[in-house]
């Protein structure tokens, strides 16, 4: 089994995955509540919390899998991109665990984990495929021909899709993270009540979401009833219309990417892939779509151990000077 660790942002994660891609344990200790009052992730708090809980999270994962360290044949860890202090906790822990048993250690690109999350489980997607990764920090389309690598075809020029959800939720006075809040409220609203822009920048497959957020800001400013808190009933309509605009933009690029690349399979990943409207409407693409279970969409270590199956592991003791990297 491969033991994976992921600490790039605000979730402390450990997982055990077999060489065949069977997830034996996937433990996620979310720090969401610690950061909620600040309306975003506070890097220093994140690092300290990772340090507090990482050992118990690893123990939990081993226990869930009915395993001990003796059953682990390789350690995998997110090397970046992410918050440097947070990454360092995972990388240091992984080095210590691997070195204590002289195991090989695989440094993994967090985004490679999201891109290949659909290769886990009983019905793994097979390359070639088109991957959409939409999270709080990243939004891009990639082509996968060989599971050990991916080619970015287009990416956001400004905000990530998850960031658009989070900033929109903040403007609407909802909690953090905003995606799940908007997702929930949107179910009670009318998605055609407000007409928000669906930006399609340039000729290629890039995304842009900052104009959408500004448009929401202006809409709120020009709704005097809303400013006075009178017509609360319009919040679900705003949430539904705002979500519709984000999902439309993502689906439009996916459709263009499939046509341009001549691909027939799609994998969704990243926290935004947990969105109900996106999951339901992905069927409109006319391709076969893999959407991992939600715990493999948001940050997790199973996708890191899974991606490590396709990369190179560094033999002991060559990784002792391995460093985390905020950017790769
Ligand atoms: O992948 P992830 O857990 O962490 C990052 O690497 O960023 O993604 C978190 C992002 C947040 O922006 C959150 O608002 C968004 O994913 N998200 C959602 C939903 N669940 C999480 N966005 C829309 N709908 C959801 N149901
Ligand atoms: Zn992520």
């Amino acid at each position: 089994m491969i033991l994976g660790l992921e600490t790039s942002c605000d979730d402390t994660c450990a997982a055990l995955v077999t060489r065949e891609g069977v997830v034996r344990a996937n433990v996620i200790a979310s720090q969401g509540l610690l950061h909620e009052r600040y309306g975003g992730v506070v890097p220093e708090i994140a690092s300290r919390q990772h340090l507090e809980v990482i050992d118990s999270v690893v123990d939990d994962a081993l226990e869930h899998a009915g395993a001990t360290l003796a059953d682990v044949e390789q350690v995998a860890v997110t090397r970046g991109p992410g918050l440097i202090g947070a990454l360092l906790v995972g990388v240091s822990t992984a080095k210590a665990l691997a070195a204590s048993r002289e195991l090989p250690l695989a440094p993994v690109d967090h985004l490679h984990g999201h891109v290949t999350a659909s290769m886990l489980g009983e019905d793994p997607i097979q390359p070639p495929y088109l991957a959409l990764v939409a999270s709080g920090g990243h939004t891009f389309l990639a082509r996968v021909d060989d599971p050990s690598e991916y080619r970015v075809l287009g990416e956001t020029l400004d905000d990530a899709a998850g960031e658009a959800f989070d900033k929109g939720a903040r403007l609407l006075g909802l909690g953090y993270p905003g995606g799940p809040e908007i997702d929930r409220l949107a179910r009670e609203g009318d998605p055609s009540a407000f007409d928000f822009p669906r930006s399609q920048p340039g000729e290629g497959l890039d995304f842009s979401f900052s104009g959408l957020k500004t448009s929401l800001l202006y809409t709120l400013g020009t709704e005097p009833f809303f400013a006075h808190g009178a017509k609360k009933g319009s919040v679900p309509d705003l949430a539904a219309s705002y979500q519709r605009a984000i999902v439309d933009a993502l689906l439009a690029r996916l459709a263009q990417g499939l046509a341009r690349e001549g691909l027939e399979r799609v994998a969704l990943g990243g926290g935004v892939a947990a969105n109900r409207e996106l999951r339901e409407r992905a069927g409109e693409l006319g391709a076969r779509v893999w959407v991992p279970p939600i715990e493999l969409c948001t940050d997790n270590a199973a996708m890191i151990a899974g991606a490590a199956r396709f990369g190179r592991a560094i033999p002991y003791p060559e990784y002792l000077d391995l460093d985390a990297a905020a950017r790769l």
Side-chain angles (χ1 to χ4, degrees), residues 14-77:
L16 286 146
V17 172
T18 68
R19 288 263 159 220
E20 294 71 41
V22 178
V23 180
R24 297 281 302 275
N26 186 25
V27 177
I28 302 169
S30 171
Q31 303 181 5
L33 292 174
L34 278 177
H35 302 282
E36 193 179 13
R37 75 178 87 164
Y38 305 103
V41 177
V42 183
E44 182 63 20
I45 293 176
S47 318
R48 286 169 187 268
Q49 182 64 13
H50 284 309
L51 203 52
E52 290 281 337
V53 304
I54 186 121
D55 290 340
S56 339
V57 169
V58 171
D59 288 347
D60 264 13
L62 288 168
E63 198 183 312
H64 276 248
T68 68
L69 263 189
D71 301 307
V72 174
E73 59 183 36
Q74 185 186 316
V75 180
V77 65

Side-chain angles (χ1 to χ4, degrees), residues 110 114 135-137 162-163 165-166 177-180 183 270-272 274-275 297-299:
H110 178 83
H114 279 304
S135 71
E163 200 177 351
F165 272 106
D166 295 337
D183 191 347
V272 177
N275 184 265
C297 287
T298 53
D299 285 349

Side-chain angles (χ1 to χ4, degrees), residues 38 113 120 136 158 183 218 230 245 269 273 308 326:
Y38 305 103
L120 290 166
D158 38 60
D183 191 347
Y218 286 152

